[in-house]
Amino acid sequence: DRIFLSICIPSYNRGEDAYAAVCEALKSGYDQEIEVIISNNGSTSNTEGYERIKAIQDNRLRYYEAPENMEFDGNVRRVVEMARGEFMLFQSDQELIISSAIPCYMNALFKNPDIFAATSTGEGKNFIKPKQSGINNQRLDILNGIMNQNFMSGLILRKSSVEKKNALALYDKLKDNIFLKM
């Protein structure tokens, strides 16, 4: 009932990277306010890390293992469906959110109740540079953040807005678009 931020990590064949991403996200210090969702997209190689994730005893962690590959769009859909937080923060399994920055994101999102999207930063090639992030010193700079985004890592969306606008149906309609497949 109290989950504010769902950290959503779709993953495929990168178990050790996913394990590192999950461990870093769980360092945040938040208890009931966050959850970390990992969706293993029917991985057939590099699965040792997924076994390590399954062994983590932490009630903030939610793990899903698809019986077969759902493709990238299906895996993203799965983490969205699993998310229970007011906001969803997406990240690649190859990158790390900076756990010490989570309080900044949480505070900025909480202080801006009308916000529907923001961006964050982390460690990895697909995260935007910190000064281009959508949250700077607890100030939201959405346009700058989104205009500098080149991948889903760091994208933060309000779940109720995604549901209200039926964004998953739009995503399904556009899933063959080359930009979504990149």
Side-chain angles (χ1 to χ4, degrees):
D1 291 356
R2 300 182 59 199
I3 298 171
F4 188 72
L5 183 67
S6 297
I7 300 169
C8 301
I9 308 170
S11 183
Y12 180 66
N13 284 343
R14 291 191 283 255
E16 287 303 318
D17 291 340
Y19 176 75
V22 165
C23 289
E24 183 61 28
L26 290 172
K27 286 182 189 177
S28 74
Y30 284 97
D31 187 14
Q32 298 175 0
E33 300 85 3
I34 72 160
E35 68 179 349
V36 178
I37 299 169
I38 180 85
S39 177
N40 174 356
N41 193 10
S43 296
T44 56
S45 64
N46 299 311
T47 58
E48 299 82 15
Y50 299 118
E51 295 303 317
R52 293 171 66 192
I53 292 169
K54 287 193 266 187
I56 294 173
Q57 298 295 311
D58 190 316
N59 63 356
R60 299 171 298 168
L61 177 64
R62 297 182 61 215
Y63 178 82
Y64 173 77
E65 188 170 285
E68 59 185 36
N69 188 324
M70 304 176 285
E71 301 297 328
F72 179 73
D73 60 297
N75 208 20
V76 170
R77 173 181 278 284
R78 185 66 188 149
V79 294
V80 169
E81 291 168 347
M82 291 178 67
R84 297 178 296 188
E86 187 170 339
F87 288 93
M88 301 175 293
L89 187 158
F90 297 91
Q91 79 173 74
S92 164
D93 57 3
Q94 293 180 295
E95 297 167 326
L96 301 175
I97 189 167
I98 300 171
S99 60
S100 61
I102 291 176
C104 174
Y105 308 146
M106 300 275 279
N107 289 332
L109 294 167
F110 186 76
K111 289 178 181 178
N112 294 276
D114 294 331
I115 197 69
F116 69 92
T119 56
S120 65
T121 190
E123 297 177 10
K125 67 179 183 170
N126 291 312
F127 271 110
I128 59 177
K129 305 289 184 269
K131 66 183 178 181
Q132 296 172 325
S133 174
I135 301 176
N136 294 313
N137 299 320
Q138 297 188 23
R139 166 179 75 77
L140 294 174
D141 186 7
I142 304 308
L143 184 58
N144 186 40
I146 291 174
M147 293 303 291
N148 286 291
Q149 193 76 20
N150 67 354
F151 193 66
M152 66 180 261
S153 289
L155 180 62
I156 302 172
L157 298 174
R158 182 181 294 272
K159 180 151 185 180
S160 62
S161 294
V162 169
E163 292 168 341
K164 182 179 178 182
K165 298 294 184 183
N166 205 8
L168 290 178
L170 178 61
Y171 185 78
D172 287 343
K173 184 178 177 181
L174 299 173
K175 72 181 182 181
D176 291 326
N177 183 303
I178 188 67
F179 293 104
L180 291 177
K181 289 195 171 281
M182 293 178 135

